[in-house]
Amino acid sequence: MWFAPIFEHDFAIKFDFFKHYYASIFKINSFTEKLERHFMNTVNIPRLDLNTYINGDAAQRKAFSDAIGDAFNQTGFVTITNHGLDKTLIDKLYDDVKALFALPDEVKSKYEDPKLAGQRGYTSKGKETAKGFTAPDLKEFWQIGQTVTGDDIPKDQYPENTQITEVPTFNATTVEVYKKLEAAGIHLLRAISVYLGLPENYFDDNVHNGNSILRTLHYFPITNPDALPEDAVRAGAHEDINLITLLIGASADGLELLTRENKWFPVKAYGEDLVVNVGDMLQRLTNNKLKSTTHRVVNPPRELMKYSRFSVPFFLHPKAGMNLACLPSCIDEHHPKQYEDITAGEYLDERLREIGLKK
């Protein structure tokens, strides 16, 4: 396991100036090397190898658990390698996603059902608005949900997934990706459980047949930027609803998180790595010990606005009946209870109404 923190763009510019300035004067590199190390450690977004937790020895597993817990305690974000999805599958996924969103709007609209509140199939442009914003996000998306196995909940607990006929491989590809990300997410939750001093399998029963969602996103080209409302962005500043989110890269930059210093910080993944962040459900459960960090997707520079951006997040949800009451171990005299008791289903319903997907 090794770490590769990413430094803030603002710092990078300042560092580049100092590096060349002092190097030209002193003809040495030690000062700039120290400066670079300082800037690169200002935001803790470690790159962690999931295989060291799944197949590692006791020391490796503890190191992974401590590292993800510390990062989620500080910034709420990590990047993950060796997560179970290979490059071939990821490339196939993005090929299918691009083919789907290239279809004419009148074809895609056949797969939009307002009664499903965006939870299955297609959701068209202008439908989702980040809490506190007036302009809707500049995106369209398609969602795939859980297929119930076993008998712990009824088979009809969730709506059936919408099958698209125009891009037939999309259906099988997204189900395969869903299952692999769900499996990776369960391992990550086990590591988090250990960090929190809970039984390793604390989340297992709650997320088995949970209400998890795979969302394929298209941030469409911005053809007339001057006509946009002032606060219109690809994804307004928000926090995720669920336990954790696993993001399969993106086709372009734009994802940023808000640091504790109230500065926006660009988040980048290496190659096929996943970006994983804490959602509000996990923050509530841990009484703010683990941070659900505000993040956004900004509009690109004007010269790049004519290009699409694609991304695929997996929102790992528990079953609706999971109790999100703050864990007793996360409450003390210095950390009083911050939230009222609520179930995952009640909380999801509340949040879907806030962002306009449910009326």
Side-chain angles (χ1 to χ4, degrees):
M1 179 174 61
W2 62 285
F3 303 86
I6 309 162
F7 53 86
E8 193 169 0
H9 175 69
D10 205 29
F11 285 155
I13 295 172
K14 294 174 182 176
F15 168 71
D16 193 56
F17 168 79
F18 282 122
K19 177 178 179 180
H20 290 94
Y21 178 72
Y22 283 100
S24 65
I25 294 175
F26 299 113
K27 309 298 183 184
I28 58 171
N29 292 321
S30 59
F31 173 84
T32 55
E33 287 170 0
K34 290 179 181 178
L35 190 63
E36 183 173 29
R37 283 196 296 272
H38 170 74
F39 285 147
M40 289 183 70
N41 285 285
T42 55
V43 176
N44 179 24
I45 304 180
R47 185 179 190 231
L48 306 178
D49 182 351
L50 184 55
N51 187 57
T52 64
Y53 185 79
I54 298 173
N55 296 311
D57 59 28
Q60 290 174 313
R61 288 166 59 81
K62 183 180 186 306
F64 182 97
S65 180
D66 288 347
I68 195 171
D70 288 345
F72 281 174
N73 186 272
Q74 296 171 34
T75 61
F77 274 76
V78 297
T79 63
I80 298 292
T81 187
N82 286 326
H83 41 69
L85 281 78
D86 60 32
K87 186 177 186 304
T88 300
L89 179 58
I90 293 173
D91 289 345
K92 181 69 175 70
L93 172 67
Y94 272 98
D95 286 344
D96 286 346
V97 168
K98 290 174 183 178
L100 167 69
F101 289 114
L103 294 171
D105 287 348
E106 58 269 23
V107 173
K108 291 179 288 190
S109 65
K110 295 189 306 180
Y111 299 100
E112 185 169 24
D113 184 351
K115 296 191 298 296
L116 297 178
Q119 298 307 289
R120 297 293 185 275
Y122 180 63
T123 297
S124 54
K125 302 166 186 174
K127 293 294 175 63
E128 183 171 278
T129 304
K131 184 179 178 180
F133 284 71
T134 57
D137 290 345
L138 304 176
K139 67 189 182 189
E140 57 183 339
F141 56 89
W142 184 290
Q143 294 202 157
I144 300 94
Q146 185 68 264
T147 300
V148 174
T149 60
D151 56 5
D152 56 332
I153 62 173
K155 299 285 185 185
D156 60 355
Q157 178 81 16
Y158 307 118
E160 291 186 3
N161 282 315
T162 305
Q163 303 295 305
I164 184 164
T165 57
E166 288 81 1
V167 189
T169 56
F170 176 89
N171 305 309
T173 301
T174 51
V175 168
E176 182 179 0
V177 169
Y178 184 107
K179 291 178 179 177
K180 288 182 178 293
L181 288 176
E182 185 177 44
I186 290 170
H187 287 298
L188 292 171
L189 286 176
R190 288 173 181 169
I192 293 166
S193 297
V194 172
Y195 174 77
L196 293 171
L198 301 169
E200 185 182 30
N201 63 353
Y202 177 85
F203 290 98
D204 284 17
D205 287 343
N206 284 307
V207 297
H208 176 252
N209 285 329
N211 193 18
S212 297
I213 293 289
L214 182 72
R215 173 182 280 194
T216 64
L217 271 163
H218 176 218
Y219 300 98
F220 48 82
I222 302 170
T223 55
N224 186 6
D226 294 328
L228 290 178
E230 186 175 344
D231 64 344
V233 292
R234 285 184 156 172
H238 66 283
E239 300 80 39
D240 292 342
I241 301 170
N242 41 292
L243 290 169
I244 57 173
T245 300
L246 294 79
L247 174 68
I248 310 174
S251 64
D253 292 341
L255 176 63
E256 297 182 344
L257 68 83
L258 189 64
T259 69
R260 289 185 178 183
E261 293 73 37
N262 209 37
K263 292 185 178 181
W264 288 104
F265 180 94
V267 180
K268 301 175 188 287
Y270 292 77
E272 290 75 51
D273 288 4
L274 300 178
V275 176
V276 181
N277 64 276
V278 175
D280 282 352
M281 289 186 183
L282 188 57
Q283 177 173 266
R284 288 182 72 103
L285 186 70
T286 62
N287 198 36
N288 293 338
K289 179 178 178 65
L290 304 185
K291 304 294 188 292
S292 179
T293 301
T294 303
H295 53 283
R296 66 183 183 180
V297 179
V298 296
N299 296 338
R302 282 183 82 94
E303 65 272 15
L304 298 178
M305 286 185 176
K306 60 184 177 181
Y307 299 109
S308 290
R309 181 184 189 270
F310 300 91
S311 69
V312 183
F314 179 77
F315 302 115
L316 184 56
H317 282 261
K319 296 186 185 77
M322 181 180 179
N323 186 359
L324 297 180
C326 299
L327 294 166
S329 59
C330 294
I331 302 170
D332 58 34
E333 60 178 322
H334 302 294
H335 305 92
K337 185 177 180 181
Q338 297 295 309
Y339 302 103
E340 295 181 358
D341 295 354
I342 195 170
T343 67
E346 291 167 341
Y347 186 64
L348 175 62
D349 185 77
E350 175 185 304
R351 292 292 299 275
L352 290 177
R353 294 180 189 281
E354 286 179 349
I355 61 178
L357 287 180
K358 196 169 186 177
K359 305 301 181 185

